[in-house]
Amino acid sequence: MNTFGKMFRVTVWGESHGKALGAVVDGCPSNLPLTEEDIQKELDRRRPGYSIFSTPRKEPDEVELLSGTFEGKTTGAPISALVYNKNQKSKDYNKIKDTPRPGHADYTYGVKYGNYDYRGGGRSSGRTTIGHVIGGAIAKKLLDYSHNIKIIGYTVKIGKIEGDFNYYSKQEIFHSDINDIIEKIENNPLRCPSSNVDEMKDYVLNAMENKDSVGGIVELVALNVPAGVGNPIFGKLNSELAGALMGVNAVKGVEIGRGFESAELYGSEMNDEYYYNSENNIQLKTNNCGGILGGISCGAPIVIRVAIKPTPSISKIQHTVNVKTGKNQELIIGGRHDPIIVPRAIPVLESMVAITLSDLMIRSGFIHPCRL
Amino acid sequence: MNTFGKMFRVTVWGESHGKALGAVVDGCPSNLPLTEEDIQKELDRRRPGYSIFSTPRKEPDEVELLSGTFEGKTTGAPISALVYNKNQKSKDYNKIKDTPRPGHADYTYGVKYGNYDYRGGGRSSGRTTIGHVIGGAIAKKLLDYSHNIKIIGYTVKIGKIEGDFNYYSKQEIFHSDINDIIEKIENNPLRCPSSNVDEMKDYVLNAMENKDSVGGIVELVALNVPAGVGNPIFGKLNSELAGALMGVNAVKGVEIGRGFESAELYGSEMNDEYYYNSENNIQLKTNNCGGILGGISCGAPIVIRVAIKPTPSISKIQHTVNVKTGKNQELIIGGRHDPIIVPRAIPVLESMVAITLSDLMIRSGFIHPCRL
Amino acid sequence: MNTFGKMFRVTVWGESHGKALGAVVDGCPSNLPLTEEDIQKELDRRRPGYSIFSTPRKEPDEVELLSGTFEGKTTGAPISALVYNKNQKSKDYNKIKDTPRPGHADYTYGVKYGNYDYRGGGRSSGRTTIGHVIGGAIAKKLLDYSHNIKIIGYTVKIGKIEGDFNYYSKQEIFHSDINDIIEKIENNPLRCPSSNVDEMKDYVLNAMENKDSVGGIVELVALNVPAGVGNPIFGKLNSELAGALMGVNAVKGVEIGRGFESAELYGSEMNDEYYYNSENNIQLKTNNCGGILGGISCGAPIVIRVAIKPTPSISKIQHTVNVKTGKNQELIIGGRHDPIIVPRAIPVLESMVAITLSDLMIRSGFIHPCRL
Amino acid sequence: MNTFGKMFRVTVWGESHGKALGAVVDGCPSNLPLTEEDIQKELDRRRPGYSIFSTPRKEPDEVELLSGTFEGKTTGAPISALVYNKNQKSKDYNKIKDTPRPGHADYTYGVKYGNYDYRGGGRSSGRTTIGHVIGGAIAKKLLDYSHNIKIIGYTVKIGKIEGDFNYYSKQEIFHSDINDIIEKIENNPLRCPSSNVDEMKDYVLNAMENKDSVGGIVELVALNVPAGVGNPIFGKLNSELAGALMGVNAVKGVEIGRGFESAELYGSEMNDEYYYNSENNIQLKTNNCGGILGGISCGAPIVIRVAIKPTPSISKIQHTVNVKTGKNQELIIGGRHDPIIVPRAIPVLESMVAITLSDLMIRSGFIHPCRL
C-alpha cells in the first residue's frame, strides 16, 4: 500500500540502493505554479549530509520532474518526479541478509516477503521518504498558494533534554510574524528553536561517542487552516493526521493539542471556551484541543506532537540471530547512519501533514478537485 | 466518510436522538459462526447505565441482525445490524442550537454543515459508537475464531492517578492465563485492574461533586497476532491503528510500544534484540517496539496506549457565544452525561483495534477474503 | 464489495428472503430537502406486481428512513434506509440448494462462499436492487435539485422487436419538453414509448405461454449534465457508467453514444463537429459520442444503451446437476418470477446512472462535497 | 484518477510530448520472476510503427525498470517503470490550442482544466497507454505464473467487414492448443485471425486514400480463470472488466458473452445448462454467459467484445470553432496518426483485462496479496 490519500493521492516507490526513488502525485488541481525548484528546496532539507548529525552518505538528490506540468503550471494530470541514487555502497549490507538488525524492519520484511532488497534497508529505509517529500513539496505549495497555510515543524525535545520552546509556551509567536522563528529553526542542526539547544547538541555528541543514538519529540503547527476541514466519522482530521504521521519511520507516538496531558486535566481545564473577538468572529480563548473538535478543524492552529525513537542503527555490539546458521550471534552494524533522525524527519513529517491537509481540504470542499 | 477499512469494511450510521443507529459490515468471509448474542454481548459492555460513572440515560440497546448470516453462519454478504433508540429526551438540547458547548463538536458541525442534528450531539455523540461496537464484535469473533487473537483494553490512569498495572510492569501476565485479568477488568466500574483503583474512584467522585469531569489513559494489548501483518509504506499496522484510535471521540493521543518514552531512550535501550527460544523460534528479548517493526507485526503482543480527554459536558458555568444574538453568554449544560468516558470507551477502542486487525489480516493474506 | 462510489457512496445490504434490505448513503451534502416520499416514489417504480409482466410476489416495499436528515433536509451524516421483507415463501426454493439453476448465480455463489442463502437467490436476487434504488432516489434528488439534471430510461427493444423510439431517431424531443415522453414511459407496462409497443407485448405474452422468458435493450439519457464531469484516466465518466451498469443483474452489454455501431463508421461520419450557436456557446452538431469525449462530459446529453438478458427463471424443463447425488438431473423452476425483467430494471439502471453522476460531479467539483 | 485497482494497483502518468511516461504497480506479491524483457515484449506490441496501419512516429519505447525487484524477482515493493519520449514533434500541434479537434478530448480538457498540455493530445493521447501496458505486462506474468491464465485479444470486425473467426464460431479452438491461433494473430497487421482479413486490409487502405479512418471490434478471451473470481454486488467481475475496458481511449461499447445478442434470445436459448463431465466436474454445456454468472467467474472462458470507434484524427477538412477568435472555422489535422487504432489497442485491452483479473483474483483469495 504505497498510495496515500483519496482525492490528493501520493504514490511513492523506490529502494535505498535501487536505481531511483520517486513519487506520483495524482489529484493536484490544475493551474498551480510548480517547478523543479519547489520540490528541490524541500528535498534539500531532508538530504543526507545536512549536518554533523546526519549520515555521511553523499547524495545530491536532484529531482527530475517528468510529467503533470505545462508552461510552469500543473495541468491536473499526474505529477511524476524522481531522484536517481548515486552513492550506493551495497557491500556494507551483505551481512544483514542473515542477521536481522534489532529495531529495524529486516526481520519483519523477511518473514512477510521472503524475497526483499536488504541493501540499506531496501524499501524500509528512511531514504524512501524522498517520495513523501516530493509529495509534500507539492502539497505545501498548493496549501500556501490557495489558502496561505504554513506548516512548521521543529524539535521540542532531544533524548531527556526538554526544550523551552513549544506551542503552548510561546503561543503568541504563532499569531505574529513567524519568519524569525522559521529562520531560527532552519539554521540549526537540530531544527530546534529552544534557547537550550546547545545542551541538546552535547547530549547527541555524547551518545555518538558511546556508539549510541538518541530520539526526540517534534512539534508541528499548521497555521491558517480554515474551520470545517475534516470528515467525521472515519475521515476525521485528527485521525488522518495521526495515521499519516505514525506511519513515518521511527514514529512511536502522536498527540493532538494537549495530547496525553489532557488525560490529567479536568473538563473545566481542558474545554476551550468561545467568545466573539473585536471583529465579531467566534474564537477559542485557549487552544487545548489543538485546532480540532469532533474531527473538524475549528479555525485555531493545528498543533501536533510526534515521538521519534532513537535510530536503530548503532555501532555497539548487539545480539541477534543468524537465520542461516540457526544460531544466536553478535552483531556490529557498519554502514553510514544518522545518530539522530529527528531533524531530518521534520521535512518528512511536515510533508505528511501537508499531504493530509491537501487531501482533506479537497474532500471538504475548500480546494476545487480539478482546477484552481 | 463513515466507512472504515479496505477489505473488511465497517459503515456506521445514526444519530443520538434519531430513530436508530447501526452498522453494515462488508467483507467478512463466509462460514464464521455469528449470532445476535455475539454482538449484544459487546453492546452491553458500552451501554449507558453501566455504572455510577455513566450517564443515567436508559437504553436497552438491543441489536437486530438483519442480513448476512444463514443458518447461524456468515455468508460473505454484508452484515447489517441496528439498535433502535428508545429513551431520547430531545428537549434537553434545544439550547445547544444557538450556544455551542465548549469542547464539543457543535461549533464545527454548525460551520461545516449548516443544517445538523444538534440533539444530544447528533452525529458527533458518543452514542454513534454503537456502530463501531457492532463492527468490532464481528471483527473480534473473526480474529478469535480464525487465529485465537484476543484484544484486551483496560484503564491505566485516571486523571492524575497512575495505576500500577500496565503491560510493561506486568508483561509476564500476558504470556500466561489472561482470564483472571479479564475478569478483574470487567468487574470494575473503571475497567482498571490496578491495585490502587479505589484512589481513582475517589478522584472521579470528587470531580463529580465539583460538577467537573476527568480523563484517563487506556492500554490495549492484542495477543497472538502472527508476524507479517501490515503493509508498508502507507498501510502500516501502527499507522492504521493510530488513525483508527485517534478517530474515536475524545482521544487526543496514541502511542505504540514505549511511545513517547522512546524519545528519551538511547538506541541501545530501545532496540529489541532477537534470540532463538527453546523451540528454535525467533523471538524478541524485550518488546519496546510494541509488537510492530517497519509497520509489520513481529509476533510479539501489540501494545498501544490512548489518551482520553475529560468529558466536555460539565455542569459548571462556562462561557460561550450565542450565534443568534451574536453575543457572548454563559452556559450551564443540562442533560445526562458521563463524568468520565474512559471505561465505556474501552469496548469502542477494542473494536477499532479488532476492525483494523481484521482488515489488515485479510490484506496481508492471513485471513481469506471470501470464506473461512 | 457492496459499496459503490468514492465521494458519494452507496452501501447496499440484504437478501431476498432475509429480514430486510436497505442502503446507507454516505457523502450526500447537507441541506438537500429529502423525505421518505422521495425514496418511496422510486421504490414503487421497481416494486413487484407492477404489471402483468412482473412476479406476483406481494411486497409493499415501504421504506423507513432512519438517519441522516433533520427537519426535512440532509445533514451530511450517512442516510440509512430500509425495507422489511413481508411476503417470503422460502419453501419454494428448497430444491435450489442442490440443483443450481441455469443462468442464475446459485452455482458460483456455492463455489465461492460454501455457505450462502439460496432462498429466492439470496444475495444474488434482483430484490437486492432495493438498495440501489434507495441510493438512486437520493442521487436523483441531489442532481435535480442542484443542477436540474434528469435521467430518463426506457425500453427500445424487446426480444427481436425493435422499437421506433430512441435517442438518435427522436433527438429533438430531448431538447424540448420531455414531460410528455416521461408520462408515456411510466404509463406503459414495458416502459416503452415506441409506437409499436403492442407488438412487443404480444412477444412477451407469447413467451409466457411457452413457459419462456425474454430480454431487451434499455436506453438511458441524462440531460443537463454540464461539460467537465469525469476524471481521466481511470475515473472516466464512460468507464464508471459502464462499470456501474454492467454490474446490474442480467446486464450483458453497455454502449455509449453510437456504441457498437461506431465500429462501422468512418472517422468523418463519427466525429462530432463543433460550432458556435446563436448564444455564442460551443456546441456539437451531432452527438455520436453520447455526450462524452476523453472520459469527460461535453455538455451534450449522455446517451447509453444496455442489453438485458432474458430472465433465467423459466418453467420449462432444464438440465442441471445435483451436487448431493453427484448426478445430472432435470429441473423445473417453481416460485414466482418475472417473464421479462426489462421494465423493472429501468429504475435500477437509472439509479446507477444517478449515483455514478452524483459521485463524479462531487469529484469533479460541480457539487460541494459537504453542503449545498 | 490515475490509479486502477484496489489490491493490485496500477498508477499511470505521462504525456504524449512530455519527458517520459510510466507506471507504478503496487500490490504485486513478492517472488514473481520479472525482468525488463517481460515488460519490453508487451510494449513492443503496442509500439508505433508496428505496421503500415500505424503512425510513423518513431519511438523505441525502451522501458527502464526502476524499483520493486531484487535478484530477478519481485519483492512486494512498488514496481516503477518508465519510457522516455524521444521523437516528439510538438510544432505540429500548435493549432490545436485554439481549435479543438472533433472527436478528440481537446475541448473537454480545455473546459475542465484550463491549463493542459495540448501537444499530441497530451494526457488524452493514446500514447499514455504505455502505462497500461507496463501494468498489464506485470499482471499477465502474475496470472500466467500463478494460474496459467492466458489472455488473448484479436480483431473480429473492421468497419463493416465482419471476420469469420470469433469465440462462438470457433469455440473448440480455445479448448485445444491455442499457440497456432496466437501466432496467426501476432503475424498479421490487423491482429485478425479470420480468413477474410485481406478484405479488411483493403477496407482500411481505401479509407486511408480517402483521408479517413475506420474502427472495429475486438474480442478478448481469458482462459483458465478458476470459478469464484469476482465480488458481488459492486465488485462483480463483469462490472470491473466493463469499467476497465470502456475507459480505454476510443472504446464505445463492451459486451460479455452473448452481449447485445442476448437481448434477442429466449431464456431457454440463453441459459447455460450444467452437467457432470467424464471427470465428474460440473461444466456448462454452452458458454452464452461468457464465463460469468452473478458477477462471479464460473470456470468457463471469459469472453468479451469491445467496440472501437474510428481514429478521430483524419486529414479531411472538418468544421470546428476557434476559441481565440470566437468564430467557426475549418480544420485540417496534420501530425502523424493511425488510420485505425484497433490492432495497437489490442495489447492495451489485454492489459486492462489482466490488471482487472489480477486485482480481483487477489481480492477473491486466489492469489496471496503479499507473496507467491
Side-chain angles (χ1 to χ4, degrees):
Chain A
M1 188 61 193
N2 294 278
T3 297
F4 184 91
K6 294 190 188 306
M7 292 291 282
F8 185 92
R9 290 172 299 277
V10 179
T11 300
V12 299
W13 57 271
E15 290 91 21
S16 180
H17 289 225
K19 278 194 176 177
L21 303 111
V24 182
V25 176
D26 190 17
C28 183
S30 66
N31 291 312
L32 177 70
L34 185 76
T35 64
E36 279 179 349
E37 287 66 41
D38 292 313
I39 302 172
Q40 192 63 56
K41 191 178 64 180
E42 291 293 328
L43 283 174
D44 288 347
R45 292 180 66 218
R46 81 156 286 292
R47 194 165 56 190
Y50 164 82
S51 82
I52 51 160
F53 299 132
S54 82
T55 167
R57 178 171 170 176
K58 293 275 173 290
E59 286 287 357
D61 285 355
E62 273 174 32
V63 73
E64 286 184 36
L65 183 54
L66 297 172
S67 72
T69 63
F70 184 62
E71 298 179 346
K73 293 192 293 182
T74 58
T75 61
I79 304 164
S80 180
L82 58 72
V83 160
Y84 281 92
N85 280 324
K86 302 284 187 190
N87 190 233
Q88 303 101 311
K89 293 196 180 170
S90 300
K91 279 186 209 158
D92 291 344
Y93 293 94
N94 276 352
K95 67 171 74 163
I96 301 172
K97 198 178 173 181
D98 302 321
T99 54
R101 295 167 299 172
H104 272 286
D106 308 328
Y107 172 64
T108 51
Y109 270 67
V111 166
K112 187 176 182 76
Y113 295 113
N115 185 54
Y116 72 105
D117 184 349
Y118 52 80
R119 299 169 304 165
R123 184 67 187 142
S124 73
S125 164
R127 190 151 175 74
T128 62
T129 56
I130 282 175
H132 301 58
V133 172
I134 290 171
I138 298 169
K140 280 182 178 179
K141 191 83 193 271
L142 175 62
L143 295 172
D144 191 7
Y145 184 80
S146 68
H147 284 79
N148 195 27
I149 290 172
K150 312 289 183 191
I151 295 157
I152 307 160
Y154 45 87
T155 301
V156 293
K157 192 174 183 178
I158 292 289
K160 292 199 160 100
I161 316 297
E162 186 107 42
D164 57 12
F165 182 99
N166 66 60
Y167 175 80
Y168 289 106
S169 71
K170 308 280 182 191
Q171 204 163 340
E172 71 285 354
I173 287 177
F174 295 93
H175 295 279
S176 63
D177 184 36
I178 54 160
N179 288 327
D180 278 3
I181 199 72
I182 290 175
E183 204 190 315
K184 212 171 194 173
I185 295 165
E186 291 306 308
N187 292 327
N188 174 317
L190 290 175
R191 286 206 167 97
C192 178
S194 286
S195 65
N196 56 338
V197 68
D198 286 338
E199 206 183 335
M200 294 175 179
K201 289 182 201 166
D202 290 344
Y203 191 89
V204 183
L205 288 169
N206 185 52
M208 289 169 77
E209 273 170 37
N210 293 331
K211 301 183 177 180
D212 219 329
S213 64
V214 300
I217 296 180
V218 168
E219 197 165 74
L220 297 146
V221 178
L223 300 172
N224 302 328
V225 178
V229 179
N231 292 323
I233 300 295
F234 294 130
K236 288 180 176 174
L237 178 51
N238 42 339
S239 171
E240 305 239 340
L241 285 168
L245 294 168
M246 191 67 97
V248 173
N249 286 358
V251 172
K252 299 302 285 183
V254 178
E255 40 183 24
I256 309 280
R258 288 284 179 187
F260 277 85
E261 191 193 349
S262 68
E264 295 189 0
L265 300 177
Y266 288 110
S268 57
E269 296 170 314
M270 180 69 190
N271 284 351
D272 300 303
E273 296 185 315
Y274 298 101
Y275 71 102
Y276 281 106
N277 71 4
S278 52
E279 285 97 40
N280 260 335
N281 294 321
I282 297 172
Q283 290 208 300
L284 278 64
K285 288 187 189 176
T286 49
N287 185 15
N288 295 321
C289 68
I292 306 173
L293 284 167
I296 302 168
S297 63
C298 64
I302 310 293
V303 183
I304 311 162
R305 258 177 324 281
V306 160
I308 297 177
K309 73 172 183 179
T311 327
S313 291
I314 54 174
S315 308
K316 281 198 168 170
I317 294 175
Q318 297 185 90
H319 297 88
T320 186
V321 292
N322 185 315
V323 296
K324 208 169 182 180
T325 64
K327 296 200 170 153
N328 299 323
Q329 78 164 57
E330 291 186 344
L331 173 75
I332 295 175
I333 299 177
R336 300 160 296 179
H337 306 288
D338 300 76
I340 182 167
I341 201 67
V342 176
R344 288 184 62 207
I346 288 174
V348 180
L349 296 166
E350 290 172 0
S351 290
M352 291 312 300
V353 172
I355 294 168
T356 306
L357 275 173
S358 294
D359 187 39
L360 270 173
M361 287 188 72
I362 294 174
R363 288 159 61 194
S364 296
F366 288 90
I367 298 177
H368 192 285
C370 301
R371 64 189 290 176
L372 296 182
Chain B
M1 188 60 193
N2 295 277
T3 297
F4 183 91
K6 294 191 188 304
M7 292 291 281
F8 185 93
R9 291 173 297 278
V10 180
T11 300
V12 299
W13 57 270
E15 291 92 21
S16 180
H17 289 225
K19 278 193 174 178
L21 303 111
V24 182
V25 176
D26 190 17
C28 183
S30 67
N31 291 311
L32 177 71
L34 185 76
T35 63
E36 278 178 349
E37 287 66 43
D38 292 313
I39 302 171
Q40 191 64 56
K41 192 179 61 183
E42 292 292 329
L43 283 174
D44 288 348
R45 292 180 67 219
R46 77 155 290 293
R47 194 165 57 191
Y50 164 84
S51 82
I52 51 161
F53 299 133
S54 82
T55 166
R57 178 170 170 178
K58 293 274 174 289
E59 286 285 356
D61 284 354
E62 272 174 33
V63 73
E64 285 184 37
L65 183 54
L66 297 173
S67 72
T69 65
F70 184 62
E71 297 179 346
K73 293 191 292 182
T74 58
T75 61
I79 304 164
S80 179
L82 61 72
V83 160
Y84 280 93
N85 281 324
K86 302 284 188 188
N87 189 233
Q88 304 100 311
K89 293 195 180 169
S90 300
K91 280 184 207 159
D92 291 345
Y93 293 93
N94 276 352
K95 68 171 71 162
I96 301 171
K97 197 179 172 178
D98 302 321
T99 55
R101 294 167 300 172
H104 273 285
D106 307 327
Y107 172 65
T108 51
Y109 269 67
V111 167
K112 186 174 182 76
Y113 295 114
N115 185 53
Y116 73 106
D117 184 349
Y118 54 79
R119 300 167 305 163
R123 184 67 187 142
S124 72
S125 164
R127 192 153 174 75
T128 62
T129 56
I130 282 175
H132 301 56
V133 172
I134 290 171
I138 297 167
K140 280 182 179 181
K141 191 83 192 273
L142 175 61
L143 295 172
D144 191 7
Y145 183 81
S146 68
H147 284 79
N148 196 29
I149 290 171
K150 312 288 183 191
I151 295 156
I152 307 160
Y154 45 86
T155 301
V156 294
K157 192 174 184 179
I158 292 289
K160 292 195 160 104
I161 315 297
E162 186 107 42
D164 55 14
F165 182 100
N166 65 62
Y167 176 79
Y168 290 105
S169 71
K170 308 280 181 190
Q171 204 163 340
E172 68 288 354
I173 287 176
F174 294 92
H175 295 279
S176 64
D177 184 36
I178 54 160
N179 288 326
D180 278 3
I181 199 72
I182 291 175
E183 205 191 314
K184 211 172 194 173
I185 294 165
E186 290 306 308
N187 292 326
N188 173 317
L190 289 175
R191 286 204 167 98
C192 177
S194 288
S195 66
N196 56 337
V197 67
D198 286 339
E199 206 184 334
M200 294 175 179
K201 289 182 200 166
D202 290 345
Y203 190 89
V204 183
L205 289 169
N206 184 53
M208 288 168 77
E209 271 171 39
N210 292 332
K211 302 183 177 180
D212 217 329
S213 63
V214 301
I217 297 179
V218 169
E219 197 166 74
L220 296 147
V221 179
L223 299 172
N224 302 327
V225 177
V229 180
N231 293 322
I233 301 293
F234 293 129
K236 289 181 175 173
L237 178 51
N238 42 340
S239 170
E240 304 237 341
L241 286 169
L245 294 168
M246 191 67 97
V248 172
N249 286 357
V251 172
K252 299 301 286 183
V254 179
E255 42 183 23
I256 310 280
R258 289 285 178 187
F260 277 86
E261 191 193 347
S262 68
E264 294 189 1
L265 300 178
Y266 289 109
S268 57
E269 297 170 312
M270 180 69 189
N271 284 351
D272 300 303
E273 296 184 314
Y274 298 101
Y275 71 103
Y276 281 107
N277 71 3
S278 52
E279 285 98 40
N280 260 335
N281 293 321
I282 296 172
Q283 290 208 300
L284 279 64
K285 288 188 188 174
T286 49
N287 185 15
N288 295 322
C289 69
I292 307 173
L293 283 167
I296 302 168
S297 63
C298 63
I302 311 293
V303 184
I304 312 162
R305 258 177 324 282
V306 160
I308 297 177
K309 73 173 184 179
T311 328
S313 291
I314 55 174
S315 308
K316 279 196 169 173
I317 294 175
Q318 297 184 89
H319 297 89
T320 186
V321 293
N322 186 314
V323 297
K324 207 169 180 179
T325 63
K327 296 200 171 154
N328 299 325
Q329 79 164 57
E330 291 187 345
L331 173 75
I332 295 176
I333 299 176
R336 301 159 297 177
H337 306 288
D338 300 76
I340 182 167
I341 201 67
V342 176
R344 288 184 62 207
I346 288 174
V348 180
L349 296 166
E350 290 171 3
S351 290
M352 292 313 300
V353 172
I355 294 168
T356 305
L357 275 174
S358 296
D359 187 39
L360 270 172
M361 287 189 72
I362 295 173
R363 287 159 62 192
S364 296
F366 288 90
I367 299 176
H368 191 285
C370 300
R371 62 189 291 175
L372 295 182
Chain C
M1 189 59 192
N2 294 277
T3 297
F4 184 90
K6 294 190 188 307
M7 293 291 282
F8 185 93
R9 289 172 298 278
V10 179
T11 300
V12 299
W13 57 270
E15 290 91 22
S16 179
H17 289 226
K19 279 194 174 177
L21 304 111
V24 182
V25 176
D26 190 16
C28 182
S30 66
N31 291 312
L32 176 71
L34 185 75
T35 63
E36 278 178 349
E37 288 66 41
D38 292 313
I39 303 171
Q40 192 63 57
K41 190 178 63 182
E42 292 293 328
L43 283 174
D44 288 349
R45 293 180 65 218
R46 78 155 287 292
R47 194 166 57 191
Y50 165 84
S51 81
I52 52 161
F53 299 132
S54 83
T55 166
R57 178 171 171 178
K58 291 276 173 289
E59 287 285 356
D61 285 354
E62 274 174 32
V63 72
E64 286 184 37
L65 182 54
L66 297 173
S67 72
T69 64
F70 185 63
E71 298 179 346
K73 293 191 293 183
T74 58
T75 62
I79 304 164
S80 180
L82 58 72
V83 160
Y84 280 93
N85 280 324
K86 303 283 189 189
N87 190 233
Q88 303 100 315
K89 292 194 180 172
S90 301
K91 278 184 210 161
D92 291 345
Y93 292 94
N94 276 353
K95 66 169 75 163
I96 301 172
K97 198 178 171 178
D98 302 319
T99 54
R101 296 168 298 173
H104 273 284
D106 307 328
Y107 172 65
T108 50
Y109 270 67
V111 167
K112 186 176 182 76
Y113 295 115
N115 185 54
Y116 74 104
D117 184 349
Y118 53 79
R119 300 167 304 165
R123 184 68 186 142
S124 73
S125 163
R127 191 150 174 75
T128 63
T129 56
I130 282 176
H132 301 56
V133 172
I134 290 171
I138 298 169
K140 280 183 179 180
K141 191 83 192 272
L142 174 61
L143 295 171
D144 191 7
Y145 184 81
S146 68
H147 284 79
N148 195 29
I149 290 171
K150 313 288 184 191
I151 296 156
I152 306 159
Y154 45 86
T155 302
V156 294
K157 190 174 185 179
I158 292 290
K160 292 197 160 102
I161 315 297
E162 187 107 41
D164 56 13
F165 181 100
N166 64 62
Y167 176 80
Y168 290 106
S169 71
K170 307 282 181 188
Q171 204 163 337
E172 68 288 356
I173 286 176
F174 295 93
H175 297 278
S176 63
D177 184 36
I178 54 162
N179 288 325
D180 278 3
I181 198 73
I182 290 175
E183 205 189 316
K184 212 172 195 174
I185 295 165
E186 291 308 307
N187 292 326
N188 173 318
L190 290 175
R191 287 205 165 98
C192 177
S194 287
S195 66
N196 55 337
V197 67
D198 285 339
E199 205 184 336
M200 294 175 179
K201 289 182 201 168
D202 290 344
Y203 190 89
V204 182
L205 288 168
N206 184 53
M208 288 168 77
E209 272 171 38
N210 294 332
K211 301 183 177 181
D212 219 328
S213 63
V214 301
I217 297 180
V218 169
E219 196 166 74
L220 296 147
V221 179
L223 300 172
N224 301 328
V225 178
V229 179
N231 293 322
I233 298 291
F234 293 130
K236 288 180 176 174
L237 178 50
N238 42 339
S239 171
E240 305 238 341
L241 285 168
L245 293 168
M246 190 67 97
V248 173
N249 286 357
V251 172
K252 299 302 285 183
V254 179
E255 43 184 21
I256 310 279
R258 289 284 179 188
F260 277 85
E261 190 192 350
S262 67
E264 296 189 0
L265 300 178
Y266 289 109
S268 57
E269 296 170 313
M270 179 69 190
N271 284 350
D272 300 303
E273 297 185 314
Y274 297 102
Y275 71 103
Y276 280 106
N277 72 2
S278 53
E279 285 97 41
N280 259 335
N281 293 320
I282 298 171
Q283 291 209 297
L284 278 65
K285 288 189 187 173
T286 49
N287 185 16
N288 296 322
C289 67
I292 307 175
L293 283 167
I296 302 168
S297 63
C298 64
I302 310 293
V303 183
I304 311 162
R305 257 176 326 279
V306 160
I308 297 176
K309 73 173 184 179
T311 327
S313 292
I314 55 175
S315 309
K316 280 198 168 173
I317 294 175
Q318 297 184 89
H319 297 89
T320 185
V321 293
N322 186 314
V323 296
K324 209 169 180 180
T325 64
K327 295 199 170 156
N328 299 324
Q329 79 163 56
E330 291 188 341
L331 172 77
I332 296 176
I333 299 178
R336 302 159 295 178
H337 307 287
D338 300 74
I340 182 166
I341 201 66
V342 175
R344 287 185 61 207
I346 288 174
V348 180
L349 296 166
E350 289 172 1
S351 290
M352 291 314 299
V353 172
I355 294 168
T356 305
L357 275 174
S358 295
D359 187 39
L360 270 173
M361 287 188 72
I362 295 174
R363 289 159 61 193
S364 297
F366 288 91
I367 298 177
H368 191 285
C370 300
R371 64 189 291 176
L372 296 182
Chain D
M1 189 60 193
N2 293 278
T3 297
F4 183 90
K6 294 190 187 307
M7 293 292 281
F8 185 93
R9 290 171 298 276
V10 179
T11 300
V12 299
W13 56 269
E15 290 91 21
S16 180
H17 289 227
K19 279 194 176 178
L21 304 111
V24 182
V25 176
D26 190 16
C28 182
S30 66
N31 291 311
L32 177 70
L34 186 75
T35 63
E36 277 179 349
E37 287 66 41
D38 292 314
I39 302 171
Q40 191 64 56
K41 191 179 62 181
E42 291 293 328
L43 282 174
D44 288 349
R45 292 179 67 219
R46 77 156 288 293
R47 194 164 55 191
Y50 164 84
S51 81
I52 52 160
F53 298 133
S54 81
T55 166
R57 177 171 170 176
K58 291 274 174 288
E59 286 286 355
D61 285 355
E62 274 174 33
V63 73
E64 285 184 38
L65 183 54
L66 296 172
S67 72
T69 65
F70 185 62
E71 298 178 346
K73 292 191 293 182
T74 58
T75 61
I79 303 164
S80 180
L82 58 72
V83 160
Y84 280 92
N85 281 323
K86 303 283 188 190
N87 190 233
Q88 304 100 311
K89 293 197 181 170
S90 302
K91 279 185 209 158
D92 290 345
Y93 293 94
N94 276 352
K95 67 170 74 162
I96 301 172
K97 199 178 171 178
D98 302 321
T99 54
R101 296 168 299 172
H104 272 285
D106 308 327
Y107 172 64
T108 51
Y109 270 67
V111 166
K112 187 175 182 74
Y113 294 115
N115 185 53
Y116 73 105
D117 184 349
Y118 52 78
R119 300 168 304 163
R123 184 68 187 142
S124 73
S125 163
R127 190 150 175 75
T128 63
T129 57
I130 282 176
H132 301 55
V133 172
I134 291 172
I138 298 169
K140 279 183 178 180
K141 190 83 192 272
L142 175 62
L143 295 171
D144 192 7
Y145 183 81
S146 68
H147 285 79
N148 195 29
I149 291 171
K150 312 287 183 192
I151 296 157
I152 306 160
Y154 44 86
T155 300
V156 293
K157 191 174 184 179
I158 292 288
K160 292 198 160 100
I161 315 297
E162 187 106 40
D164 56 13
F165 182 99
N166 65 62
Y167 175 81
Y168 289 106
S169 71
K170 309 280 181 190
Q171 204 164 338
E172 68 287 355
I173 287 177
F174 295 92
H175 295 280
S176 64
D177 184 37
I178 54 161
N179 288 325
D180 278 4
I181 197 73
I182 290 175
E183 204 190 315
K184 211 172 194 171
I185 295 165
E186 291 306 308
N187 292 325
N188 174 316
L190 290 175
R191 288 207 165 95
C192 178
S194 287
S195 67
N196 55 337
V197 67
D198 286 339
E199 206 184 336
M200 294 176 179
K201 288 182 202 167
D202 291 344
Y203 191 89
V204 184
L205 289 168
N206 185 52
M208 288 169 78
E209 273 171 38
N210 292 333
K211 302 183 176 181
D212 218 329
S213 63
V214 301
I217 296 181
V218 170
E219 196 165 74
L220 296 146
V221 178
L223 300 172
N224 301 328
V225 178
V229 180
N231 293 322
I233 299 292
F234 293 130
K236 288 181 176 174
L237 178 50
N238 43 340
S239 170
E240 304 238 342
L241 285 169
L245 294 168
M246 191 67 96
V248 173
N249 286 358
V251 172
K252 299 302 285 183
V254 179
E255 43 183 22
I256 310 280
R258 288 285 179 187
F260 277 85
E261 189 192 351
S262 67
E264 295 188 2
L265 301 177
Y266 289 110
S268 57
E269 297 170 310
M270 179 69 190
N271 284 350
D272 300 303
E273 296 185 315
Y274 298 101
Y275 70 103
Y276 280 106
N277 71 3
S278 53
E279 286 98 38
N280 260 334
N281 293 321
I282 298 171
Q283 292 208 298
L284 277 65
K285 289 188 187 175
T286 49
N287 185 16
N288 296 321
C289 67
I292 307 174
L293 283 167
I296 302 169
S297 63
C298 64
I302 310 294
V303 184
I304 312 161
R305 259 178 323 282
V306 160
I308 296 177
K309 72 173 185 179
T311 327
S313 291
I314 55 175
S315 308
K316 280 198 168 172
I317 293 175
Q318 296 184 89
H319 297 88
T320 184
V321 293
N322 186 314
V323 296
K324 208 167 179 182
T325 63
K327 295 198 173 157
N328 299 325
Q329 79 164 57
E330 291 188 344
L331 172 76
I332 295 176
I333 298 177
R336 301 160 297 179
H337 306 287
D338 299 76
I340 182 167
I341 201 66
V342 176
R344 288 185 62 207
I346 288 175
V348 180
L349 296 167
E350 289 172 2
S351 290
M352 291 314 298
V353 172
I355 294 168
T356 305
L357 275 173
S358 295
D359 187 39
L360 269 173
M361 287 189 72
I362 295 174
R363 289 160 61 192
S364 296
F366 288 90
I367 298 176
H368 191 286
C370 301
R371 63 188 291 175
L372 295 182

